[in-house]
Amino acid sequence: MTLLVLLIVYDASARYLFSSGSTALQELEWHFFDVVILLSISYALKHNAHVRVDIFYEKFSLKIQTLINIIATLFFILPLSFLIVYIGIGFVELSFVQNEVSSNPGGLTHRWIVKSLMPLSFAFVALQGLSKLSKEFKKWRAL
C-alpha cells in the first residue's frame, strides 16, 4: 500500500505540477491496486470481513450460522475459486505465450505477471476456504 500511495503522489505531482506524466506509471498504479485487492480476498475471508447479507444471518443461532458458513464454503467459495484458478491458468498462459503488452503507447510489458495474480489469489482463497471449512465443521459438531 505504501508503494501504491507513493506512486500515486509522485504521478499526480508530476502530472499537475510539471505537466509530465507516464503511461507506464499509471498502469503500474493499477497493477499495484490489483495486487492489493486480489491478495486481500483470502485475508478478508480469514478474518470474516467479507461481504455478506447480515440482515438475517445475525439473527440466526450459532449452529445455523455455522451451517450457512459450511454450505456457502462448499457450494460457492470453493467451486468459484477452483473455476477461477482453472480458467485463470490458461488466461495467464495465453498472455505469456503471446508476450502480451499494453495496448497504450509507453505502457507496460509482461502483462502475464499481473494476470498471474488472479489464479494465485484464488488458490489462496481456496486454501483459506478449506481451512475455514475444517474449522466450521469442528464448531458445528461441538454445538
Side-chain angles (χ1 to χ4, degrees):
M1 285 298 292
T2 304
L3 286 174
L4 177 59
V5 170
L6 291 173
L7 183 60
I8 290 170
V9 168
Y10 173 78
D11 186 36
S13 300
R15 206 169 343 125
Y16 292 111
L17 297 177
F18 306 110
S19 297
S20 68
S22 167
T23 303
L25 285 181
Q26 289 177 352
E27 288 184 2
L28 191 58
E29 291 170 18
W30 281 103
H31 289 206
F32 281 173
F33 186 68
D34 292 343
V35 170
V36 169
I37 295 299
L38 287 170
L39 295 181
S40 296
I41 299 169
S42 56
Y43 178 84
L45 184 61
K46 178 180 181 180
H47 293 283
N48 215 16
H50 54 290
V51 176
R52 175 179 44 228
V53 180
D54 285 337
I55 297 169
F56 303 111
Y57 182 85
E58 64 186 23
K59 295 177 183 176
F60 293 145
S61 69
L62 187 57
K63 188 160 187 145
I64 298 295
Q65 287 179 352
T66 305
L67 185 60
I68 290 170
N69 291 339
I70 291 169
I71 292 169
T73 303
L74 278 174
F75 294 104
F76 296 106
I77 295 172
L78 291 176
L80 181 65
S81 296
F82 293 139
L83 180 67
I84 291 175
V85 168
Y86 177 75
I87 292 172
I89 290 171
F91 185 61
V92 173
E93 183 182 22
L94 183 62
S95 180
F96 179 78
V97 168
Q98 291 178 341
N99 197 23
E100 185 180 4
V101 298
S102 173
S103 59
N104 297 318
L108 296 175
T109 61
H110 300 89
R111 273 269 167 98
W112 64 271
I113 295 172
V114 75
K115 287 185 175 186
S116 67
L117 287 172
M118 190 178 355
L120 177 66
S121 69
F122 278 91
F124 290 155
V125 171
L127 289 173
Q128 184 56 49
L130 291 170
S131 171
K132 179 181 174 121
L133 188 62
S134 171
K135 291 174 186 172
E136 293 292 331
F137 267 127
K138 287 177 186 172
K139 186 192 315 181
W140 189 66
R141 286 181 31 207
L143 292 174

